[in-house]
Amino acid sequence: MTTDQQARPDGRGLRQSMSDLHTWVGLLLGWVLYAMFLTGTVSYFKDELSQWMRPELPAQSGVPDQAVVAQRVADELVALVPGSPQWSLRLPDARNNSVYAFWRTAGAAPGQRGFGEGNFDPATGQTVSSRATLGGDFFYRFHFQFHYMPVVWGRWIAGVAAMFMLVAIVSGVITHKKIFVDFFTFRWGKGQRSWLDAHNALSVFGLPFHAMITYTGLVTLMALYMPWGQQAGIKTAADRQQLNAELSAFIQPGKPSGEKAPLASIEDMVRHAQERWGRDGVGRVTATHPGDAAARVAVARGDGGRVSMSPQYLEFEGTTGKLLAVHEGVGPAAETRGVLYALHLGRFSDLVTRWLYFLVSLAGTAMVGTGLVMWTVKRRQKLPDPARPHVGFHVVERLNIASIAGLSVAMAAFLWANRLLPETLAERANWEIHSFFIVWALTLLHGVLRPAKKAWVEQLWLAAALLALLPMLNAATTQRPFWRSLADGDWVFVGMDLMCWALAALHAVLALRTLRHQPKTRPARKTVNKPAGGAVLREG
Amino acid sequence: MTSVAGRVRRFGPLVSRIAAALFGGYALAALASVAVLALPMSTPQAVLTGEMASFLVYAAAVLWVFAVRSALRAWAGLLVVAAPLLLAAWSVW
């Protein structure tokens, strides 16, 4: 410390600079980051959430034969979208009981949406007859592109927020002098110090994860954020194709021959891939110009069983089923990117790893949340008149309520909307999403109108109640109540009900603690106390 | 008038640092991502390496900007690093 201070005549050490940086970088986009962290955290169970949100689809007892399913859905797509220049289907696996497919529409006029998508039943090949919902994909998409705005804007906001987070993490570590010792320090019921200790423990415990998830998040969209190298180095279509092959198993449609020819057996092609990657190891089948003599089919490996998202796929001639090429390796940088990407998504993980991901990510969410709350706790003590805080304090306090407690309420409301909105409602899937945002806006209104503490307690109780009652709502509105799921060994539904109760308990505990909390309103710390007080602040 | 001048003197360096961090940092990161193309490796690998490294360069630049003693030093540091990167980037653009 002393050397720092000697080097700086104004008496501001490196640690103090980093502390200020940490505080303001963390605050400025903290609310955005909190929402990204929480919706991203639940996205580790997005496939399970999607299953829960489509209760009409029966629980999957085992993974069906992917080769048979691929043929079935491919036949359906050939009939459904004839002349499509490209379609791609994601095969069912241990976590997905439906086949998600998307396709380009033939001859879409400029300005028209050139894509279609749908979910198909693996058992029949038909479009699934479940309620219209985006399912867990809503939280997943929201966590990196938000909503009600062009996708690119949302992704840029997420990128800026992630960059702020990266800076906040590194400056936080520099700020934090006794990072190891303080991990074992917890001062309960000591106001600001308890918040600081909680923030430190949550941060340090998951530090490698938080740093990894933030950095890898940027890597997932790096071509958008840093396009300059590509613009400088990739000049021709061939260059572009070469780069693309390093990143993605989606083969791009070339020129059709114009000569009609049916696709060869997709089942045989997938069988071929199964021999290579195992029975459930196939991820995706993509066809370009199906029905044309120039058709190509790519059968890509799934995300499970390997910690990399780099493309591995077999390329077949569409009309004969002849294996044209095996793509199983990419360059070192592309492989690094594949691993970083996979680490972010965590799709390789088994059940235990997935839960670990979820819990540490939840700790990351709490890290952002405690940091936001600490900003107000620290400043409330120094307010000249705690009953009449200045505008900045007021804004932060109210935004904290809506973005932390309010988000829980809104997310629970989204699930309630899934069970309550009539199936015949036009734009039903969108109305689930509108419900989420309407409720979230109401929590902000409530947070502004009510006294701060009451608003916190009421919203936490509301979230607890919505979560606790969700299994009851599920029992009342579907054929899959808790007891039946348990009897049938339907672990997705059992897990969802248990999770709701666990999260309800968590919110109830937070509500009770907030209710009992007595803020210490002491006057601003005297400058005489500076050495001791300063040390704490510096670490905050 | 004097209060405006006082304000500029007080907040000017901070605003300058924030600009250095946000825009200077991004420019440096972008420059680094292009400069990587000068390395002896295939173009797709270099492009990806540059993209992945750029965020670390950006983060380091921001920390530098707020760690040094003055706004002037912050900008100077960025420029010193930018010069060789600019040369390398120039050679491949």
Side-chain angles (χ1 to χ4, degrees), chain A residues 125-377:
Chain A
Q126 311 280 310
T127 309
V128 294
S129 48
S130 72
R131 61 193 65 199
T133 177
L134 201 54
D137 282 307
F138 168 62
F139 292 139
Y140 173 68
R141 291 182 194 177
F142 176 84
H143 105 276
F144 63 87
Q145 63 193 26
F146 309 104
H147 203 73
Y148 298 129
M149 65 176 84
V151 164
V152 172
W153 289 21
R155 291 180 177 191
W156 266 106
I157 294 173
V160 172
M163 204 57 231
F164 271 59
M165 184 79 204
L166 196 59
V167 170
I169 288 175
V170 182
S171 57
V173 171
I174 298 173
T175 301
H176 198 13
K177 187 167 42 172
K178 294 178 289 176
I179 199 156
F180 183 73
V181 175
D182 275 7
F183 184 56
F184 299 99
T185 311
F186 203 98
R187 291 158 284 194
W188 277 106
K190 290 252 171 21
Q192 185 198 322
R193 249 168 238 221
S194 299
W195 282 104
L196 179 64
D197 290 345
H199 183 65
N200 288 345
L202 288 163
S203 311
V204 177
F205 164 63
L207 184 64
F209 177 86
H210 306 326
M212 176 279 280
I213 213 71
T214 306
Y215 174 62
T216 55
L218 287 162
V219 168
T220 59
L221 291 169
M222 64 186 186
L224 172 70
Y225 303 140
M226 278 293 161
W228 314 111
Q230 257 190 67
Q231 289 191 2
I234 307 289
K235 308 266 200 229
T236 65
D239 286 349
R240 188 163 302 284
Q241 206 163 13
Q242 206 192 346
L243 179 64
N244 218 32
E246 297 282 294
L247 304 175
S248 157
F250 286 110
I251 50 172
Q252 296 300 316
K255 280 208 169 64
S257 69
E259 191 186 327
K260 278 194 186 308
L263 278 178
S265 166
I266 298 283
E267 186 175 339
D268 288 345
M269 300 181 209
V270 176
R271 282 258 180 267
H272 198 114
Q274 281 176 318
E275 278 166 28
R276 223 179 174 84
W277 301 317
R279 181 185 175 275
D280 305 336
V282 182
R284 186 174 279 286
V285 176
T286 306
T288 60
H289 297 301
D292 185 276
R296 290 271 185 285
V297 176
V299 180
R301 189 172 174 181
D303 302 326
R306 62 183 182 125
V307 190
S308 178
M309 296 286 287
S310 63
Q312 291 192 9
Y313 63 101
L314 307 179
E315 196 175 346
F316 297 93
E317 190 170 57
T319 52
T320 62
K322 197 179 94 181
L323 181 62
L324 293 176
V326 178
H327 302 263
E328 276 199 314
V330 293
E335 192 57 50
T336 307
R337 173 241 174 220
V339 170
L340 294 174
Y341 207 124
L343 281 173
H344 190 86
L345 293 177
R347 287 192 192 147
F348 60 87
S349 48
D350 56 17
L351 201 61
V352 175
T353 319
R354 182 166 302 280
W355 272 100
L356 206 58
Y357 253 94
F358 178 80
L359 291 174
V360 185
S361 190
L362 206 57
T365 311
M367 164 183 78
V368 179
T370 51
L372 282 170
V373 171
M374 200 158 66
W375 194 93
T376 58
V377 171

Side-chain angles (χ1 to χ4, degrees), chain A residues 58-131:
Chain A
Q60 190 170 254
S61 50
V63 182
D65 184 352
Q66 294 183 316
V68 175
V69 174
Q71 185 66 58
R72 210 174 265 154
V73 179
D75 289 343
E76 177 70 13
L77 282 173
V78 166
L80 194 70
V81 283
S84 162
Q86 183 190 36
W87 49 247
S88 183
L89 48 96
R90 193 214 55 223
L91 294 172
D93 54 33
R95 301 177 58 216
N96 286 290
N97 61 350
S98 68
V99 178
Y100 169 78
F102 79 87
W103 52 84
R104 288 175 201 251
T105 38
Q112 210 184 337
R113 205 165 159 265
F115 287 94
E117 59 181 348
N119 279 286
F120 297 83
D121 187 341
T124 63
Q126 311 280 310
T127 309
V128 294
S129 48
S130 72
R131 61 193 65 199

Side-chain angles (χ1 to χ4, degrees), chain A residues 41-52:
Chain A
T41 300
V42 300
S43 296
Y44 284 119
F45 286 112
K46 94 178 162 71
D47 295 339
E48 288 75 12
L49 205 53
S50 291
Q51 287 192 39
W52 186 87

